[in-house]
Amino acid sequence: MRFLMAAPRILSGIKPTGRLHLGNYFGMMRPSIDWQDRGEAFYFIADYHALTTVQDPAALREHTRGVALDFLACGLDPQKAVLFRQSDVPEVTELAWLLTCLTPMPMLENCHAYKDHLAKGKVPSHGLFAYPVLMAADILLYDSNVVPVGRDQKQHVEVTRDLAEKANRLFGPIFTVPQPSIVSEVATVIGLDGQKMSKSYDNTIALFEEEKVLRKKVLSIVTDSAAVEDPKDPASSSIVALYKLCADADSVALMEEQFRAGGLGYGEFKKRLFEALWQKFAPFRTKRAELAADPSTIDAILRDGAQRARAVAVPTMERVRKAMGLR
Ligand code: ADP
Ligand code: TRP
């Protein structure tokens, strides 16, 4: 058990289920990268979790590598933060089982991802149902204090807190109870259709989109039918919402003013948004290309990350097994 002293332990994970998008970047990656200077940061590629949807081994390997590249290109510093693959520390599945035995079914029946699946008439796998327990194991295995995530993951951190508190009541203080950290102004990044940006809705802008595709996607952002001369509402516009994430305050203020004034069409604002996005990610694109050219660097970073993660996970499991009567 770790108490929050000067340097918090920060942990977050992301599933390698496809190309990462702006929602992932602003909701989870950038906040995580910001945290790396403020404590001991552990970030992992949640490949066990991804197996609930990706069942093609070559695709899983490719996405896993892609997530590592994206994270490093965007500024994750492996000297500061530990970057590792979830499955390189298989102890997490053991802890997930121990927590499963403490988890009331209704707690999981109440979780959004499972309920959404049922609402769509799909048959959830046991893995999807138990997903939040594995996530709790991720967080508790590393004695994490802070979990930077997008708003949709808040419920999972609450499940983790409940399980940690229950285990601590039953077995003594074996777990650190974590807090979610959600950056409120980017809690939900909006997608091309005005809904939450998500792989599941096919409305994403990938972080490392090719120039032509990016332009086309930005031009396809859904707007209302206001004419060029009409005043427009910046507060309800996805263009403005996305522009706020990538442009400086003066440029945003100018766009908002021009929305309200009327006289410019959405096409003009979309062009500006495209430019701002393209510029914002330019340095990351350069870095990504450099990293991609040298696969051995990524392998070495992940190997080192696995070792540093195991150095924390192994003693936690010894402590937990003993407290629960397994040794
Ligand atoms: P997706 O919905 O595309 O499948 P994930 O569920 O894999 O994305 O999310 C990975 C991380 O990115 C999580 O921390 C999640 O909260 C964050 N995230 C995903 N989409 C968004 C969004 N539109 N806005 C803010 N954060 C997001
Ligand atoms: N469930 C998270 C997502 O879908 C990924 C994840 C797995 C995670 N384990 C975690 C995030 C532990 C934070 C902490 O994005």
Side-chain angles (χ1 to χ4, degrees), residues 11-13 15 44 46 49 131 135 138-139 147 149 153 156:
L11 172 130
S12 194
K15 282 175 296 178
F44 66 93
H49 276 110
Y131 183 109
M135 181 157 161
D138 290 322
I139 297 170
V147 184
V149 279
Q153 296 298 316
H156 291 155

Side-chain angles (χ1 to χ4, degrees), residues 237-253:
S237 164
S238 313
I239 303 172
V240 177
L242 289 169
Y243 196 59
K244 280 185 180 162
L245 297 172
C246 56
D248 60 68
D250 288 348
S251 308
V252 173

Side-chain angles (χ1 to χ4, degrees), residues 31-70:
S32 298
I33 291 166
D34 288 346
W35 270 103
Q36 74 187 357
D37 293 311
R38 290 189 267 161
E40 281 181 87
F42 284 72
Y43 300 131
F44 66 93
I45 307 165
D47 52 355
Y48 281 142
H49 276 110
L51 284 172
T52 58
T53 50
V54 183
Q55 279 138 11
D56 169 347
L60 186 62
R61 273 190 285 271
E62 189 193 319
H63 295 326
T64 300
R65 198 165 193 80
V67 170
L69 273 173
D70 287 358

Side-chain angles (χ1 to χ4, degrees), residues 175-211:
F175 293 127
T176 301
V177 182
Q179 293 282 353
S181 164
I182 296 163
V183 181
S184 56
E185 65 270 25
V186 291
T188 306
V189 176
I190 300 301
L192 299 175
D193 56 359
Q195 298 188 79
K196 177 199 156 193
M197 185 176 290
S198 169
K199 280 180 292 262
S200 336
Y201 303 149
D202 201 15
N203 65 354
T204 60
I205 298 179
L207 265 183
F208 294 101
E209 209 75 86
E210 297 74 31
E211 187 171 358

Side-chain angles (χ1 to χ4, degrees), residues 12-26:
S12 194
I14 191 155
K15 282 175 296 178
T17 47
R19 293 174 76 192
L20 297 181
H21 56 73
L22 296 181
N24 300 140
Y25 177 72
F26 289 106

